[in-house]
RNA sequence: CGGGGUGUAGCGCAGUUGGAAGCGCGCUGCGUUUGGGACGCAGAGGUCCGGGGUUCAAGUCCCCGCACCCCGACCA
């Protein structure tokens, strides 16, 4: 590609909007342009890199038996109603009506479409197992897109769907993906770890997320420093320290003026926060068939713990969960700052109340809780005697320093970006959409599904995040839009020669043709720009190998040769340059290949 | 959805007390330059986010919207 005709421009300064290095550099180098919040155009350079990423995905998924296809971006709402996700998913689903006033859905993911397809196509165990995948645009109306391509609303994802006759088959395909995903990430040059994750809106049994660790990441992970166990903070279990068992003491109401926080209360009564009960108020939408019921949630946990909203959502099987407002707290008859499950009115005009209690509370005796009376708390409250729980579950968020349930080690917190995930869906979709096959014995059985996704744009951004310096991007050879950046520095010209092609141009043009003939992908800077401009653009775009053709070098028949990731330059005779480049490409590819290793499966 | 911020040329920004819309980079033409974002001359480019209002006069003050960014909530 000649840069004089490349549809892309570098920018000296990044837009003020950009903060993350990957975002700034991808914009400055001309890989992406923004259309709206979380909606980007992928420019030619970016498209070439994304295509390479997607081809790596194709190779690896084909290698484990995948068959590529394409499924629609626009879905009739019927299939989403069948699985109930039409009702369960909130505002992040893109909905519209077609001209016949039919409800339509913009694809967020394709389980419903796959399920509809296979209930029509698959009838016999002979058709199983199968693995289908596609690389397709998705729309998720994220409430807060940010960080360039890391978190967008419209994005392209490779997602595969495994179809099996039995659970052993699912395990096998899940394991195959587990490794194939590591291979994909490693071939793109980025280190990742696999962690246990929440199944979220996907439903199903087991799930792993692949996390690229970076301080700019938006997910918090807990990693055990003893055994290496890693989990998303949303699901991480941990060892809770119960208080010693003691006899229940009688309830006692005490005045606690201006103690609206746990910290204030503990200080006022000079007791540890662990001796208090914290009440957190949420309003949840809980799906019931085709509609959903709003409920007021009273979550009780020990004062020294933090509520994990994902765990609470899962305990409630809620579709939406948000903090209650002060007006709502008052409306159910509780007293903000001094609220408690004890002494709540049995009925209220506002919403039904659900009391959800953390599983540490039954083992915690004589806690201090609010009295539902401004300025007063109750001493010695006890679950079972003083109030009842509707649900008891693990509700608390693990934090750095908490104890690992596997080995007793302690957790550290790190940040990461989720670049891929794999789910054992099981029969969640087969059941709701009637996807069955006939087994050897003639019985109808549900097809067992798995789903596996990687976002290509987010992966590109993660690679850009991992490989850059103060001058620009530094692409791994496998992802670089071109392998070689050929810089031509035109010679000084006398007045009469202007416009004619000089020796340097001739040599550079020839080298460009030779590179192409040798199958090397080259970006040729044939523009009339000063050397500084060309070198800075080359550094910014970040192709792995740079060749410079100049009068200075040509005098001795030499071409300058430099790797983007190294400082040193070499001068190589013209006749040897193609071989040198090919050898370097092979060496760079070997460097990446060396990173593709077997990963232990974390059950 | 809560909190904060920003909207002026393609990009980065300035714009005083309310009184003629500017600077740097980029862009066009000509010339001089040519190994790390050169220089001169001449140009083009504006819905000052939008709508109302106050005023003799609004980029500037007031009201209402919108967009984008950041933190949180949320989220495969």
């Amino acid at each position: 590609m000649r840069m004089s005709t490349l549809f892309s421009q570098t920018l000296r300064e990044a837009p003020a909007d950009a903060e993350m290095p990957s975002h700034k550099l991808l914009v400055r180098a001309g890989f992406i342009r923004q259309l709206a919040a979380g909606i980007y155009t992928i420019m030619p350079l970016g498209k070439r890199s994304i295509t390479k990423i997607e081809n790596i995905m194709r190779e690896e998924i084909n290698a484990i038996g995948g068959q590529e296809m394409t499924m629609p971006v626009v879905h009739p709402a019927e299939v989403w109603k069948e699985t109930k996700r039409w009702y369960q998913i909130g505002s992040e689903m893109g909905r519209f009506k077609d001209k016949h006033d039919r409800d339509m859905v913009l694809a967020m993911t394709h389980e419903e479409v796959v399920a509809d397809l296979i209930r029509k196509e698959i009838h016999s165990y002979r058709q199983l197992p199968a693995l289908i995948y596609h690389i397709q645009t998705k729309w998720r109306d994220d409430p807060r897109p940010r960080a360039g391509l890391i978190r967008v609303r419209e994005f392209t994802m490779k997602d595969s769907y495994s179809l099996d006759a039995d659970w052993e088959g699912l395990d096998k395909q899940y394991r195959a993906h587990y490794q194939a995903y590591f291979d994909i990430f490693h071939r793109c040059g980025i280190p990742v770890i696999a962690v246990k994750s929440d199944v979220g809106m996907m439903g199903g049994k087991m799930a792993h997320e692949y996390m690229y660790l970076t301080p700019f990441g938006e997910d918090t992970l807990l990693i055990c420093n003893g055994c290496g166990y890693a989990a998303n903070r949303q699901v991480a279990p941990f060892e809770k320290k119960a208080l010693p068992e003691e006899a229940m003491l009688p309830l006692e109401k005490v005045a606690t003026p201006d103690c609206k926080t746990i910290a204030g209360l503990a200080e006022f009564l000079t007791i540890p926060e662990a001796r208090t009960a914290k009440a957190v108020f949420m309003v949840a939408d809980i799906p019931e068939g085709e509609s959903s019921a709003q409920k007021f949630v009273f979550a009780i946990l020990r004062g020294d713990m933090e509520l994990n909203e994902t765990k609470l959502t899962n305990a409630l099987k809620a579709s939406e969960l948000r903090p209650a407002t002060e007006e709502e707290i008052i409306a159910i008859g509780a007293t903000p700052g001094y609220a408690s499950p004890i002494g709540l009115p049995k009925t209220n005009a506002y919403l039904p109340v659900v009391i959800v209690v953390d599983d540490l509370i039954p083992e915690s005796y004589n806690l201090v809780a609010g009295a539902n009376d401004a300025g007063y708390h109750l001493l010695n409250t006890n679950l079972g005697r003083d109030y009842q729980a509707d649900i008891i579950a693990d509700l608390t968020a693990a934090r750095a320093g908490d104890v690992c349930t596997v080995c007793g080690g302690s957790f550290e917190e790190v940040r990461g970006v989720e670049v891929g995930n794999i789910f054992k869906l099981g029969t969640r979709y087969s059941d709701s959409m009637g996807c069955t096959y006939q087994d050897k014995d003639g019985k109808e059985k549900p097809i067992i599904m798995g789903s596996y996704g990687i976002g290509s744009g987010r992966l590109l951004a993660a690679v850009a995040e991992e490989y850059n310096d103060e001058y620009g991007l530094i692409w791994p050879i496998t992802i670089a839009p071109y392998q070689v950046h050929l810089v031509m520095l035109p010679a000084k010209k006398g007045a009469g020669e202007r416009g004619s092609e000089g020796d340097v141009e001739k040599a550079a043009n020839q080298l460009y043709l030779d590179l192409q003939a040798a199958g090397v992908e080259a970006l040729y800077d044939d523009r009339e720009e000063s050397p500084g401009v060309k070198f800075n653009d080359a550094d910014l775009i970040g192709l792995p190998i740079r060749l410079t053709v100049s009068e200075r070098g040509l005098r001795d028949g030499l071409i300058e040769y430099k790797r983007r990731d190294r400082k040193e330059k070499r001068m190589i005779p013209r006749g040897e340059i193609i071989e040198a480049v090919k050898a370097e490409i092979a060496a760079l590819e070997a460097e990446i290949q060396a990173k593709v290793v077997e990963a232990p499966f974390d059950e």
Side-chain angles (χ1 to χ4, degrees), chain A residues 416-526:
Chain A
V417 171
E418 181 187 349
V419 287
N421 54 46
I422 57 179
F423 286 91
K424 283 188 183 177
L425 298 176
T427 59
R428 149 98 227 251
Y429 297 93
S430 302
D431 289 342
S432 51
M433 293 187 63
C435 310
T436 58
Y437 67 97
Q438 211 169 39
D439 208 349
K440 278 186 190 123
D441 52 18
K443 281 193 185 129
E444 289 280 312
K445 292 187 177 166
I447 296 170
I448 297 172
M449 289 175 63
S451 87
Y452 316 84
I454 300 180
S456 30
R458 182 180 281 191
L459 182 48
L460 180 81
V463 176
E465 198 61 40
E466 178 72 6
Y467 297 102
N468 65 73
D469 64 13
E470 58 185 304
Y471 303 107
L473 297 159
I474 307 172
W475 294 105
I477 190 79
T478 45
I479 300 305
Y482 296 89
Q483 296 162 326
V484 169
H485 198 118
L486 175 59
V487 176
M488 184 266 294
L489 301 182
K492 291 178 191 172
K493 281 175 189 160
E497 286 178 278
R498 175 137 298 269
S500 66
E501 192 178 68
D503 291 343
V504 178
E505 285 93 326
K506 272 187 202 146
N509 287 342
Q510 188 57 49
L511 181 50
Y512 177 54
L513 294 174
D514 292 347
L515 285 166
Q516 287 180 310
V520 175
E521 301 165 9
L523 182 63
Y524 174 26
D525 193 345
D526 59 336

Side-chain angles (χ1 to χ4, degrees), chain A residues 178-494:
Chain A
Y178 185 84
Q179 181 60 40
Y181 271 34
F182 272 107
D183 294 345
I184 289 167
F185 296 124
H186 289 155
R187 287 182 65 187
C188 292
I190 67 163
V192 294
I193 61 168
V195 304
K196 292 275 178 55
S197 71
D198 180 41
V199 294
M201 72 170 179
M202 303 299 297
K205 311 253 182 261
M206 176 191 267
H208 283 91
E209 288 172 341
Y210 291 79
M211 306 296 306
Y212 161 62
L213 301 183
T214 161
F216 289 98
E218 54 193 3
D219 283 321
T220 302
L221 309 178
L222 291 155
I223 299 184
C224 172
N225 60 14
C227 64
Y229 174 87
N232 195 303
R233 184 183 168 124
Q234 293 175 330
V235 294
F238 64 103
E239 215 54 68
K240 295 177 187 171
K241 294 164 219 136
L243 296 173
E245 193 169 338
E246 51 187 67
M248 295 186 196
L249 300 172
L251 273 182
E252 192 184 329
K253 188 166 172 179
V254 295
T256 51
D258 294 325
C259 290
K260 290 198 169 190
T261 64
I262 292 292
L265 179 66
E267 199 188 328
F268 183 79
L269 294 173
T270 58
I271 54 168
E273 293 187 358
R275 304 298 310 239
T276 67
K278 178 193 285 187
V280 183
F281 315 103
M282 312 290 286
V283 174
D285 287 341
I286 299 171
E288 290 176 352
E290 295 199 350
S291 60
S292 75
Q294 258 204 351
K295 292 194 176 161
F296 190 94
V297 179
F298 226 102
I300 311 292
L301 41 152
R302 238 176 45 188
D304 56 332
M305 306 263 177
E306 264 176 50
L307 177 68
N308 178 325
E309 292 187 19
T310 304
K311 288 180 178 178
L312 177 58
T313 303
N314 291 340
L316 287 163
K317 299 184 174 64
S319 58
E320 300 264 358
L321 188 69
R322 61 168 174 82
T325 63
E326 192 149 314
E327 293 73 46
E328 287 172 321
I329 296 170
I330 293 165
I332 62 132
T335 310
Y338 293 91
S340 145
I342 303 166
L344 269 188
K346 289 272 179 281
T347 55
N348 69 73
Y350 183 55
L351 284 178
V353 173
V354 190
I355 296 175
V356 190
V357 172
D358 183 62
D359 57 9
L360 188 58
I361 296 289
E363 298 172 52
S364 302
Y365 300 89
N366 302 322
L367 299 177
V368 177
N372 273 327
D373 189 356
Y376 292 92
H377 276 84
L378 292 171
L379 305 184
N380 308 320
T381 69
N382 288 286
L383 176 68
R385 183 190 69 183
D386 305 318
Y387 62 100
Q388 307 299 324
D390 296 306
I391 300 171
I392 297 179
D394 173 24
L395 300 181
T396 49
R399 290 174 289 200
D402 281 337
V403 176
C404 171
T405 52
V406 178
C407 75
S410 104
F411 282 130
E412 286 173 36
E413 281 187 15
V414 295
R415 306 277 285 177
V417 171
E418 181 187 349
V419 287
N421 54 46
I422 57 179
F423 286 91
K424 283 188 183 177
L425 298 176
T427 59
R428 149 98 227 251
Y429 297 93
S430 302
D431 289 342
S432 51
M433 293 187 63
C435 310
T436 58
Y437 67 97
Q438 211 169 39
D439 208 349
K440 278 186 190 123
D441 52 18
K443 281 193 185 129
E444 289 280 312
K445 292 187 177 166
I447 296 170
I448 297 172
M449 289 175 63
S451 87
Y452 316 84
I454 300 180
S456 30
R458 182 180 281 191
L459 182 48
L460 180 81
V463 176
E465 198 61 40
E466 178 72 6
Y467 297 102
N468 65 73
D469 64 13
E470 58 185 304
Y471 303 107
L473 297 159
I474 307 172
W475 294 105
I477 190 79
T478 45
I479 300 305
Y482 296 89
Q483 296 162 326
V484 169
H485 198 118
L486 175 59
V487 176
M488 184 266 294
L489 301 182
K492 291 178 191 172
K493 281 175 189 160

Side-chain angles (χ1 to χ4, degrees), chain A residues 123-170:
Chain A
H123 311 289
S124 159
Y125 73 95
R126 293 172 195 276
Q127 293 170 280
L128 298 171
L131 176 61
I132 54 181
Y133 75 98
H134 69 342
I135 297 173
Q136 179 63 289
T137 300
K138 321 268 176 177
W139 171 263
R140 293 182 194 171
D141 199 353
D142 196 300
R144 192 176 158 216
R146 60 172 159 169
L149 289 192
I150 296 283
R151 189 169 168 134
V152 291
R153 297 194 290 168
E154 184 191 293
F155 59 101
T156 301
M157 176 181 266
K158 187 287 307 168
D159 49 334
S160 25
Y161 298 88
S162 65
L163 311 168
D164 281 283
D166 51 38
W167 292 92
E168 293 69 40
L170 173 60

